[in-house]
Amino acid sequence: MNRVLLTGATGNVGEEVLRHLYTYSNKCEIVAGVRDVNRAKSKLAILESIAFRKFDFEDSATFVSAFQEIDILFLLRPPHISEVEKYFKPLLEAAKKAGINKIVFLSVQGAEKSKVIPHNKIERLIQSLDFEYIFVRPSYFMQNLTTSLISEIQEKRTITLPSGKAKFNWIDVKDIGKATAVLLSSFDSHRNLAYEITGSENLDFYQASELISKEIGSEINFKSINPIRFYFKKKKEGIESAFAIVMTILHFLPRLQKEPEISDNFKKLTGSKPTILKEFVERNRALFLG
Ligand SMILES: NC(=O)c1ccc[n+]([C@@H]2O[C@H](COP(=O)([O-])OP(=O)(O)OC[C@H]3O[C@@H](n4cnc5c(N)ncnc54)[C@H](OP(=O)(O)O)[C@@H]3O)[C@@H](O)[C@H]2O)c1
């Protein structure tokens, strides 16, 4: 049985990976690597039999004990950490030194095409250090609607973004968790491969807002604004510069790119169809209505 260290286990994707691995796989022993063990234990209390270890991306003193006797590292990049040389290089070198040879890295769709994004640099670093790897490259999270965009939806019934008519491919984070759990449980069959994990729909925000309005029975209007105005709007709302930049790029860049490709990897890995946005909105109806 492989012992897997899950980073980001209290976040959107990490928690879903953990839940799917816990529920459906008996091939892995799960260790959650978290910066606050007590907080994580109370958040994930119903999951008995998983171990917790202190692990902090920003404190290299936590690496040695966290990495002890780990076979596979599930690695993600917390949104506020972008400096690859400063944080990921020492982390990956410490993992190697501890004898970890296998990494599943949560990247992003299209990471291989853009040399400037941190995910691309992390992927290349993993390869250059000779790890066996699997890159999970998901598309745009449906959960952005219920996290970073939810307060505006609830309070103003609007979504304001610099995304114009750009199409986004919508993936449910639960589906990312499910597919990643399969990859972790059968690492050797997928070694040194990259998997785009996408949903089945490409929709722009005008279409997504219309769909949400119809599903919840209350009108949500989409407003597209220019990226500079958007960035300063986020700053004014108190969002940290680094996250405001990430939000601006995430929602503006697709205007300059081709429509996202739709992959059948999710179906191939899990045997199921990916969640569609309508189902996600139904599931979260009460939250959208506030
Ligand atoms: N949003 C999208 O549409 C999209 C699409 C494709 C890919 N992605 C990528 O997905 C990743 C984000 O995943 P997510 O949404 O699951 O993130 P998230 O919900 O923000 O979770 C981040 C996790 O990292 C942990 N963390 C933060 N700082 C830490 C530290 N210093 N040491 C240890 N743990 C730390 C957090 O733990 P605490 O509970 O302690 O805070 C949390 O568990 C990003 O790399 C993003 O680029 C996003």
Side-chain angles (χ1 to χ4, degrees), residues 8 13 20 33 44 87-88 126 131 170 218 226 242 245 250:
V13 178
H20 282 93
L44 304 168
Y87 293 106
F88 283 89
I126 291 170
F131 283 100
W170 298 79
S218 170
N226 86 51
I245 291 172
L250 179 68

Side-chain angles (χ1 to χ4, degrees), residues 2-9 14 18 21-22 28-34 44 49-55 65-74:
N2 280 321
R3 187 176 290 138
V4 180
L5 181 73
L6 297 179
T7 64
L18 189 144
L21 210 52
Y22 180 85
C28 296
E29 189 185 323
I30 306 168
V31 181
V34 294
L44 304 168
S49 88
I50 60 166
F52 290 85
R53 290 187 190 172
K54 184 165 171 66
F55 168 79
S65 51
F67 292 160
Q68 238 173 30
E69 291 176 16
I70 294 296
D71 302 299
I72 309 178
L73 174 64
F74 170 73

Side-chain angles (χ1 to χ4, degrees), residues 78-95:
H80 71 284
I81 300 182
S82 318
E83 293 167 89
V84 175
E85 281 286 315
K86 183 173 173 189
Y87 293 106
F88 283 89
K89 195 158 185 271
L91 184 161
L92 289 167
E93 285 170 352

Side-chain angles (χ1 to χ4, degrees), residues 13 47 49 58-59 92-93 113 118 132 136 140 152 186 203 241-242 245 247 251 271-272:
V13 178
L47 306 178
S49 88
E58 290 156 279
D59 179 4
L92 289 167
E93 285 170 352
K113 293 179 203 140
E132 294 177 0
V136 180
Y140 186 82
E152 189 188 339
S186 49
L203 302 173
S241 302
I245 291 172
M247 278 193 83
H251 295 101
S272 347

Side-chain angles (χ1 to χ4, degrees), residues 3 11 16 28 92 122 129 153 155 175 225-226 251 268 274-275:
R3 187 176 290 138
E16 290 301 334
C28 296
L92 289 167
I122 298 167
L129 289 168
I153 294 175
E155 287 158 24
D175 290 344
I225 61 172
N226 86 51
H251 295 101
K268 279 187 184 151
T275 307

